[in-house]
């Protein structure tokens, strides 16, 4: 036996190195802390589950400060070190105040036939931290959202859908998406005009980032050009058209360093004013310039940048999208919709 180990020393060492790398890179990377303050006086905050209840019905949703999550389904994913972006399920995100969901899907072949499964880049979003746990599918998450909106009919959920796999057939992707939507079509807002809150309470608002080859109602067009450059630019946010006469400002510099991202985020926060016909979509997530990414470590810094911003009451900051969203971050964003007296 000793002779066997001696003769295969190189193989054993190589195997141990590979195992160590797998443990480091593929773990869900739960070490470290994301700031989460304890709210000791709930009178200072609207309920995270029903904060939209006290917003006027005739308010356009583009004029509301809305907390959102980036790659919303990536709580459990393999490899977690580089792809995990959230520490809460989508159901918990809704309960904790988030109303914009970044939905990344691809066509999956299953025993039940073709379905849309949640993914982030090359990884599949899963039900638990176990590497071989089951992938999450669209119909399962929609059931959770329907249940939330039934329990909290004052709210709405902005559901931004992207086909993450460029190899997917666009028409097949859209068909699978609308097969699910059509099961509960009355629960959706699918028009291409910016609605007032009264039109979408208790509903899901479809925001489309997928190719739509057929003429049909596919919601508000939220497609924007890739912002994956690494060089700093004078204007880190870009304007696109939405619907007939709406606008969408987007800052999604996902390859910026943490320092660049902070500057771009604050620049948009201070200089873009959402209104009845103008959305602002401001991402705080980044891969820190390339290489092996670790979203949690970047979120530790950038989320604190957001929490330290002196956001003003009765002021719209648009949709703010974060990695590792917490209840405190959601409250910090949505409370800007109200006056101090409220």
């Amino acid at each position: 036996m000793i002779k066997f180990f001696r003769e295969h020393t190189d193989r054993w060492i190589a195997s141990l190195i590979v195992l160590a790398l797998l443990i480091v890179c593929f773990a869900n990377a739960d070490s470290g802390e994301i700031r989460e303050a304890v709210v000791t006086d709930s009178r200072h905050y609207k309920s995270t589950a029903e904060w939209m209840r006290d917003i006027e019905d005739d308010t356009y949703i583009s004029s509301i400060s809305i907390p959102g999550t980036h790659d919303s389904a990536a709580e459990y994913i393999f490899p977690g070190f580089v792809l995990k972006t959230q520490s809460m399920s989508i159901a918990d995100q809704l309960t904790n105040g988030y109303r914009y969901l970044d939905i990344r899907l691809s066509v999956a072949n299953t025993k039940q036939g073709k379905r849309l499964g949640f993914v982030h880049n090359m990884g599949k979003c899963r039900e638990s931290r176990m590497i071989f746990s089951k992938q999450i599918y669209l119909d399962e998450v929609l059931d959770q959202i329907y249940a939330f909106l039934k329990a909290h009919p004052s709210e709405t959920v902005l559901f931004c859908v992207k086909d993450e796999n460029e190899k997917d057939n666009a028409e097949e992707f859209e068909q699978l998406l609308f097969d699910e939507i059509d099961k509960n079509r009355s629960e959706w807002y699918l028009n291409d005009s910016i609605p007032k809150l009264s039109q979408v309470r208790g509903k899901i608002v479809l925001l489309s980032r997928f190719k739509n080859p057929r003429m049909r109602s596919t919601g508000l067009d939220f497609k924007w050009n890739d912002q994956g450059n690494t060089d700093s630019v004078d204007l880190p946010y870009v304007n696109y058209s939405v619907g007939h006469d709406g606008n969408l400002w987007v800052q999604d510099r996902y390859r910026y360093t943490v320092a660049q991202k902070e500057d771009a985020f604050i620049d948009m926060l201070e200089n873009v004013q959402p209104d009845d016909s103008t959305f602002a979509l401001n991402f705080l997530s980044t891969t820190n310039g390339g290489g092996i990414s670790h979203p949690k470590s970047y979120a530790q810094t950038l989320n604190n940048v957001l929490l330290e911003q002196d956001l003003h009451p009765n002021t719209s900051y648009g949709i703010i999208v974060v990695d590792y969203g917490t209840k405190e971050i959601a409250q910090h964003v949505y409370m800007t919709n109200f006056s101090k007296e409220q």
Side-chain angles (χ1 to χ4, degrees):
M1 182 65 71
I2 295 174
K3 180 180 179 182
F4 175 83
F5 280 109
R6 288 176 177 172
E7 291 176 350
H8 296 84
T9 299
D10 291 343
R11 290 184 182 181
W12 282 105
I13 292 174
S15 298
L16 288 172
I17 291 173
V18 170
L19 179 60
L21 288 174
L22 285 172
I23 292 172
V24 171
C25 293
F26 293 167
N28 272 306
D30 283 327
S31 60
E33 294 296 329
I34 297 295
R35 176 179 169 185
E36 177 72 87
V38 176
V39 179
T40 56
D41 188 351
S42 61
R43 292 176 299 174
H44 293 164
Y45 298 95
K46 301 291 183 180
S47 165
T48 55
E50 294 185 331
W51 61 265
M52 288 182 162
R53 180 177 52 189
D54 295 327
I55 296 179
E56 297 292 334
D57 277 345
D58 61 355
T59 305
Y60 284 89
I61 63 171
S62 54
S63 295
I64 302 174
S65 294
I66 297 176
T69 53
H70 165 244
D71 271 297
S72 303
E75 179 188 15
Y76 301 118
I77 190 166
F78 181 89
F81 185 89
V82 297
L83 295 179
K84 178 180 170 71
T85 59
Q86 301 301 329
S87 57
M88 291 189 288
S89 67
I90 286 179
D92 287 341
Q93 290 169 31
L94 295 175
T95 302
N96 282 281
Y98 291 90
R99 297 292 179 269
Y100 172 94
L101 300 176
D102 180 26
I103 303 300
R104 312 293 181 95
L105 302 166
S106 69
V107 178
N109 293 307
T110 73
K111 294 180 180 179
Q112 295 77 33
K114 291 188 176 181
R115 302 168 73 183
L116 291 181
F118 281 86
V119 293
H120 175 196
N121 202 324
M122 61 182 177
K124 296 180 180 180
C125 300
R126 301 183 180 277
E127 291 184 333
S128 74
R129 70 176 66 252
M130 300 300 293
I131 292 176
F132 299 108
S133 63
K134 189 176 77 68
Q135 185 178 10
I136 303 171
Y137 296 101
L138 175 61
D139 54 308
E140 299 164 343
V141 169
L142 288 181
D143 285 343
Q144 296 171 7
I145 299 175
Y146 294 143
F148 173 81
L149 291 173
K150 184 176 181 180
H152 308 286
S154 61
E155 309 305 290
T156 187
V157 175
L158 279 60
F159 198 77
C160 189
V161 178
K162 180 185 179 185
D163 185 355
E164 191 80 339
N165 186 354
E166 294 181 354
K167 295 181 180 179
D168 283 344
N169 177 279
E171 187 170 349
E172 180 180 54
F173 180 91
E174 184 182 340
Q175 184 61 56
L176 289 169
L177 173 64
F178 275 85
D179 284 347
E180 292 302 326
I181 290 175
D182 288 342
K183 293 176 183 178
N184 294 277
R185 198 175 183 86
S186 63
E187 309 298 318
W188 289 79
Y189 179 86
L190 302 172
N191 296 337
D192 64 352
S193 58
I194 300 174
K196 294 181 178 180
L197 187 55
S198 59
Q199 296 174 263
V200 294
R201 290 193 193 273
K203 295 180 181 289
I204 303 173
V205 179
L206 179 61
L207 311 176
S208 60
R209 288 187 69 192
F210 55 90
K211 297 176 182 177
N212 43 343
R214 292 180 292 167
M215 297 298 292
R216 64 188 300 167
S217 297
T218 53
L220 291 164
D221 185 358
F222 262 50
K223 289 188 286 290
W224 61 85
N225 295 332
D226 184 84
Q227 296 184 9
N229 60 300
T230 57
D231 296 328
S232 295
V233 293
D234 291 336
L235 270 183
Y237 34 88
V238 183
N239 183 253
Y240 303 90
S241 60
V242 173
H244 300 296
D245 55 0
N247 293 285
L248 169 66
W249 285 97
V250 180
Q251 182 281 114
D252 185 23
R253 305 289 171 174
Y254 61 89
R255 286 186 179 152
Y256 271 8
T257 65
V258 170
Q260 286 176 305
K261 190 65 174 185
E262 177 180 345
D263 290 342
F265 175 79
I266 294 176
D267 189 341
M268 184 169 182
L269 205 65
E270 294 177 344
N271 294 297
V272 175
Q273 179 63 58
D275 56 36
D276 291 353
S277 61
T278 304
F279 278 102
L281 191 57
N282 199 357
F283 282 83
L284 197 55
S285 52
T286 186
T287 59
N288 198 37
I292 297 178
S293 179
H294 187 203
K296 188 165 189 175
S297 65
Y298 315 142
Q300 287 174 335
T301 298
L302 291 168
N303 287 354
N304 283 336
V305 168
L306 170 56
L307 289 168
E308 290 165 2
Q309 293 301 303
D310 185 17
L311 303 182
H312 303 295
N314 276 337
T315 303
S316 175
Y317 292 94
I319 303 167
I320 295 177
V321 188
V322 301
D323 281 342
Y324 285 88
T326 67
K327 179 179 179 179
E328 182 189 16
I329 292 172
Q331 291 171 322
H332 188 60
V333 173
Y334 72 66
M335 285 304 296
T336 66
N337 295 297
F338 308 101
S339 66
K340 288 185 177 180
E341 290 73 20
Q342 286 180 293

